[in-house]
Amino acid sequence: GKAEGGGGGSRTCIRFTRQRHEGTMSGPQQGIEMEDTLSPAFHAALAEVRQVRASGTIPSAAQMASIYDNASPAQLEAWGYDSAPTLAQHQQQIDVINFTLAENKRSGIFVQSDVFCGKCGASSAPESKKLKYCGGCSTLLYCGKDCATADWAEHKLKCAILRSQHDKALEVHKAHGGQEKGFNKKIHRTAAWFADLPGLRNEVMLTAWKHRSESPYIHAYTSPDDVDGSALQITVMSRSLWGVDRDRDIIGRLREIYDSSSFCADKDYMCAYTVKHSSPTHDQVTKLIKMPFNGTAIQGGTIVEALTAATRSEDLADAFAYVKASNTEITAGLMLRNIRNLSMVFHGIVTPHNCIPAPTRAINTEVAAMILHGMQLEVDICLMGLRSAAHLNGRNAVIRERDPANVDRWKARLDDGECVSVKAINFVLTHHGEFKRKSP
C-alpha cells in the first residue's frame, strides 16, 4: 500500500486495495485483526456483555475480563494493550463508571432529578437525612441552613412567586381529590417522570442553547394519561411571545429572572414542565426552573453539527477528545478503537491505536451517530448507496441501537416500521440542526 497523511498531525495510515461491497471485504486485512478471525470463546464473551448492556445494566468485572482474556495478542495490540487487563483493573473501571453515573445524575449531565439542594445540588442532607423545603415557598429544597442562607440573596427574588404558584397548584391537586399532605411528593414524582424520559433533558437544553438570544423559556408539556412520553410536546416561548401565556405568575417570574444582573444567557436557561388537564383551568405546572447549561451536552451537539457539515481533521480530533473526556478510560478506548476498525472496514485504512483516522463522510457519520446515541437523542438518517437492497435508497429511518449481532452496523427503523441493519457508509444524518429525544 502507500502511505498518506491523515491530516491534523503527522501520522501515517496504510491503504490497502479492497473491493467495496456491502458487508464484505477482499484483499489483505493486515495490521488489525477483525472480529470474525477470533475464537468462539471471545465471541461468546462479547455476546454476553452486549446482552447485559442491552438490558440497561453494567457488565461485571468478570464478564469484561472474559472478553480480554479470550482476545488474541494481535487484537489486544490493536486495542492498545500489551496484555489483558487484570480482574482488579476491570473492577476499578466499573467502580469509576458507577461513580460517574451517580455524579452525572447529581450534577445534571444527561439525566438529572429535580429533587436536589437548590444551592449545592446534593441529593440528600448530611448523614443521609432528607432535604427540607424553604419555609416561605414550600417549593425549593435545601440540604441545610448554610445552603439556604447562602442562596437567599437570589432566592428572595422569586420566593413569593413560587409560593403563589405552589398554592395555585395545590388548589388544583385538592380539586382532583388529593390530600395536602402528599402534595409535594406528587409534584416531585411528576418532575422525576419528566427527568427520567430518555434524552428529554438534552433536547430541552440544546433547544434553549439554539434560541438563547431570544430570551426563551422552553415549555415541555403532556397529558395526565401519558405513560411513555409519546404525547409530550416542546415549545419555545421567546420573550416576544411571553404575553401569550395566561399564567401571570410565570411571566412575572420570568421577567424578574431574565432582568436580574445574575442571569447570563450563555450560562443559564429557563424551562417549565406541565401536565395539561382537559380543563384549561386545571393546568398543573410542575416546575419552572432556572437551569445551568451543561458544557458536555452543548459540546456534544456542537461537534455533531461540525461532523455532519464537513470532513475536517480538526472536527474529528475534537470528537475523539470529547469521547475521551465524557467516558471512562475503558469505555472511551473501546469506542475509539471501534471507529479505527471501521476506518479499515469502510476504506481499507489501518490507523494506529494512538492516532485519529482520516475524516471521511462515513467515519464522521459514524462518530456523530455514536455521540447522539450516547446522549439519548434521536438519530434521523436517510439511506443511500445500498446495492443488494437498492430499493431502500432514499428512505428515511431512525437509528434504534447498535446491532448486537454486528458491531459495525446500526439497527434502524424505517418510516413504515420495518427494521434494517446498516453501516454508516450507507446513510447520512438528516437532523438539520434540530435535536430531539429518542422516541418511545
Side-chain angles (χ1 to χ4, degrees), residues 139-436:
T139 300
L140 217 58
L141 289 161
Y142 292 103
C143 63
K145 185 176 180 180
D146 290 344
C147 276
T149 301
D151 194 46
W152 179 243
E154 180 175 351
H155 179 55
K156 66 181 180 182
L157 301 175
K158 54 192 177 186
C159 190
I161 295 175
L162 285 175
R163 177 81 246 181
S164 174
Q165 182 178 315
H166 175 276
D167 291 346
K168 182 183 295 186
L170 178 57
E171 290 178 10
V172 173
H173 177 66
K174 288 181 176 179
H176 284 78
Q179 300 293 320
E180 182 174 356
K181 183 178 180 181
F183 173 65
N184 281 337
K185 287 185 178 180
K186 182 177 185 295
I187 287 289
H188 285 301
R189 279 198 303 269
T190 306
W193 180 87
F194 279 100
D196 288 341
L197 286 179
L200 177 60
R201 183 75 68 175
N202 284 329
E203 178 184 0
V204 169
M205 185 184 304
L206 290 171
T207 301
W209 180 257
K210 179 179 180 180
H211 297 276
R212 64 191 185 279
S213 63
E214 304 168 20
S215 299
Y217 86 90
I218 312 302
H219 191 187
Y221 56 93
T222 189
S223 60
D225 56 353
D226 187 8
V227 176
D228 58 4
S230 56
L232 187 141
Q233 299 183 54
I234 292 179
T235 59
V236 180
M237 302 290 289
S238 62
R239 188 156 190 160
S240 61
L241 298 175
W242 286 0
V244 176
D245 197 312
R246 62 177 173 274
D247 194 324
R248 295 183 179 275
D249 290 338
I250 289 181
I251 300 305
R253 187 182 171 202
L254 284 170
R255 288 199 175 102
E256 286 189 5
I257 292 174
Y258 270 104
D259 294 340
S260 68
S261 58
S262 63
F263 186 86
C264 178
D266 289 329
K267 294 182 179 179
D268 307 301
Y269 67 98
M270 297 298 300
C271 56
Y273 298 104
T274 304
V275 175
K276 284 184 171 288
H277 294 274
S278 56
S279 171
T281 61
H282 284 170
D283 278 8
Q284 176 189 331
V285 178
T286 302
K287 284 285 184 181
L288 173 62
I289 50 178
K290 182 176 79 171
M291 292 292 297
F293 283 115
N294 175 264
T296 303
I298 300 302
Q299 184 184 18
T302 302
I303 288 173
V304 167
E305 294 282 8
L307 289 173
T308 54
T311 53
R312 299 176 299 188
S313 299
E314 56 266 32
D315 295 333
L316 198 56
D318 288 343
F320 267 54
Y322 170 84
V323 171
K324 289 180 180 178
S326 57
N327 294 276
T328 62
E329 183 179 356
I330 283 184
T331 301
L334 289 173
M335 294 168 70
L336 297 179
R337 287 164 198 142
N338 183 55
I339 296 170
R340 296 185 183 102
N341 283 348
L342 288 177
S343 183
M344 174 68 178
V345 173
F346 293 161
H347 308 297
I349 302 175
V350 174
T351 307
H353 73 268
N354 60 341
C355 294
I356 299 172
T360 66
R361 183 198 59 77
I363 291 298
N364 283 22
T365 299
E366 173 71 28
V367 177
M370 181 182 68
I371 292 174
L372 289 174
H373 187 70
M375 295 175 69
Q376 298 182 310
L377 295 172
E378 197 94 291
V379 187
D380 297 313
I381 63 173
C382 180
L383 302 179
M384 57 171 286
L386 296 167
R387 295 184 181 180
S388 59
H391 63 286
L392 296 178
N393 288 329
R395 292 281 299 276
N396 293 321
V398 176
I399 287 179
R400 302 304 297 170
E401 61 180 347
R402 180 73 70 177
D403 190 337
N406 190 333
V407 73
D408 298 343
R409 293 174 174 267
W410 294 91
K411 291 187 70 175
R413 185 178 64 195
L414 296 171
D415 44 18
D416 61 2
E418 179 186 356
C419 288
V420 295
S421 178
V422 291
K423 296 180 179 180
I425 201 168
N426 292 123
F427 62 80
V428 292
L429 270 61
T430 59
H431 70 285
H432 300 308
E434 298 293 335
F435 295 98
K436 303 293 183 183

Side-chain angles (χ1 to χ4, degrees), residues 15-203:
R15 180 182 296 276
F16 294 99
T17 303
R18 66 186 292 271
Q19 179 182 357
R20 297 191 177 183
H21 184 70
E22 292 174 59
T24 63
M25 287 188 61
S26 62
Q29 297 181 8
Q30 305 174 25
I32 295 181
E33 184 173 354
M34 307 307 290
E35 272 191 29
D36 57 7
T37 67
L38 297 172
S39 69
F42 172 88
H43 285 290
L46 187 61
E48 182 180 4
V49 167
R50 285 173 176 166
Q51 185 175 7
V52 171
R53 285 176 172 166
S55 69
T57 57
I58 299 173
S60 67
Q63 289 170 324
M64 291 301 300
S66 182
I67 294 178
Y68 289 83
D69 291 344
N70 288 290
S72 67
Q75 185 67 62
L76 288 173
E77 182 181 358
W79 285 344
Y81 292 100
D82 295 327
S83 60
T86 65
L87 186 65
Q89 289 173 321
H90 283 295
Q91 186 59 57
Q92 183 181 20
Q93 289 297 327
I94 289 173
D95 291 341
V96 170
I97 292 173
N98 286 324
F99 174 79
T100 302
L101 289 174
E103 284 296 292
N104 285 351
K105 186 173 183 180
R106 184 191 68 76
S107 61
I109 300 176
F110 302 130
V111 178
Q112 175 177 346
S113 169
D114 283 318
V115 186
F116 55 84
C117 175
K119 180 62 179 177
C120 71
S123 58
S124 64
E127 300 178 0
S128 299
K129 293 182 180 179
K130 292 183 178 180
L131 302 173
K132 294 184 178 181
Y133 288 100
C134 165
C137 65
S138 296
T139 300
L140 217 58
L141 289 161
Y142 292 103
C143 63
K145 185 176 180 180
D146 290 344
C147 276
T149 301
D151 194 46
W152 179 243
E154 180 175 351
H155 179 55
K156 66 181 180 182
L157 301 175
K158 54 192 177 186
C159 190
I161 295 175
L162 285 175
R163 177 81 246 181
S164 174
Q165 182 178 315
H166 175 276
D167 291 346
K168 182 183 295 186
L170 178 57
E171 290 178 10
V172 173
H173 177 66
K174 288 181 176 179
H176 284 78
Q179 300 293 320
E180 182 174 356
K181 183 178 180 181
F183 173 65
N184 281 337
K185 287 185 178 180
K186 182 177 185 295
I187 287 289
H188 285 301
R189 279 198 303 269
T190 306
W193 180 87
F194 279 100
D196 288 341
L197 286 179
L200 177 60
R201 183 75 68 175
N202 284 329
E203 178 184 0

